Amino acid sequence: MPPFSPEITDFWNASFAGDVLASADRFTVVVNPDLDEESPAMVLHTAENGVIVALSPALGAALSSAAGQVLTEAPLRQGLCDAGIVLNGADNLFYFTEADKAVLLRENSGAHVRALTAKDAAAFALFQGSASEEDLDAAYVELDHWLVYGAFDGDRLVCAASMYPWQERQITDLGVLTLVSDRGKGHARKVVRAISRAALEKGYQPQYRCQLDNHASVALAGAVGVTLFGQWEAPSEDG
């Protein structure tokens, strides 16, 4: 696996640590005592380790008992479904490698990309008003988030990204949105790299997360320069 920061690898190793319930053919099930009824199961797929499933103690006991045999992936997923646990579609997890972070920290974004503050409320409101509700919901970019950056065309805000601390760790999740009329001009790449650099300077690790079938976002990840860590599944709020 590429050399990601210890904050990244330690977080995911701890999230999928625990007593091994089953292990075969790059499929592992562990019981993690930190999981509870609100988040009883998670799945992580990496090129290095294959598929790892973490279960709460109660769920691990129930699924193991119900299976009556060594758990494999298909019956385990069926067991989750039977228990009413619905997993969100997998998210790609992208991070900067240590080498790519060093390059990013030496970079200059240009005068048209900068941090946004409350003084930019009018420009941000016009930006939101020019975007569809679907795009706004998917991007989840807000002016009151922990960090907010934008790209301007003159006085017009055309692209914005925001970050917030994630999972109570030194990791920041980000969202980015470019107005339809201004896509394909490199704004999103510059804004994401600028906000990521600001997060790194504050001691946080930027996280770029998107659904597997969001091809535009996957392409942007490649342009931004982040590297795929793995795919993660967590319970849906509706499950």
Side-chain angles (χ1 to χ4, degrees):
M1 181 175 286
F4 296 100
S5 72
E7 290 90 346
I8 298 300
T9 54
D10 289 352
F11 169 75
W12 289 109
N13 286 340
S15 298
F16 285 85
D19 295 331
V20 176
L21 193 61
S23 181
D25 300 325
R26 291 175 54 80
F27 176 73
T28 304
V29 183
V30 302
V31 174
N32 186 329
D34 293 333
L35 297 182
D36 54 26
E37 292 183 359
E38 292 186 2
S39 182
M42 296 190 301
V43 181
L44 181 66
H45 183 193
T46 66
E48 182 179 27
N49 297 318
V51 177
I52 304 176
V53 182
L55 304 175
S56 69
L59 185 59
L63 292 182
S64 180
S65 175
Q69 56 187 0
V70 175
L71 286 172
T72 56
E73 186 168 1
L76 183 136
R77 288 186 178 274
Q78 184 60 53
L80 293 176
C81 184
D82 293 343
I85 298 169
V86 179
L87 297 177
N88 280 321
D91 278 346
N92 284 313
L93 298 167
F94 295 94
Y95 302 101
F96 289 98
T97 64
E98 293 293 86
D100 289 333
K101 285 194 301 185
V103 174
L104 178 61
L105 287 169
R106 296 193 298 267
E107 195 171 271
N108 190 316
S109 302
H112 73 295
V113 176
R114 62 171 175 83
L116 302 181
T117 69
K119 294 180 180 179
D120 296 298
F124 193 82
L126 287 174
F127 171 78
Q128 288 186 309
S130 301
S132 68
E133 287 297 326
E134 181 180 0
D135 283 347
L136 290 171
D137 288 343
Y140 188 43
V141 175
E142 300 292 343
L143 190 58
D144 61 355
H145 277 170
W146 179 71
L147 272 180
V148 194
Y149 269 66
F152 287 82
D153 182 357
D155 293 332
R156 188 170 62 94
L157 180 64
V158 297
C159 176
S162 65
M163 281 183 169
Y164 51 90
W166 192 73
Q167 299 282 344
E168 300 180 355
R169 297 294 182 117
Q170 296 295 108
I171 299 173
T172 54
D173 214 32
L174 72 88
V176 59
L177 174 61
T178 305
L179 296 181
V180 173
S181 60
D182 295 278
R183 292 175 183 173
K185 301 177 182 179
H187 294 307
R189 176 187 181 277
K190 291 179 180 178
V191 170
V192 171
R193 286 183 69 84
I195 196 171
S196 297
R197 183 170 61 254
L200 288 169
E201 290 171 346
K202 292 178 181 291
Y204 284 78
Q205 303 301 318
Q207 174 174 271
Y208 188 108
R209 185 162 55 100
C210 67
Q211 292 276 292
L212 273 59
D213 60 357
N214 189 338
H215 304 300
S217 192
V218 172
L220 176 57
V224 164
V226 287
T227 297
L228 182 66
F229 177 86
Q231 289 90 32
W232 175 62
E233 297 173 69
S236 165
E237 292 182 1
D238 298 331

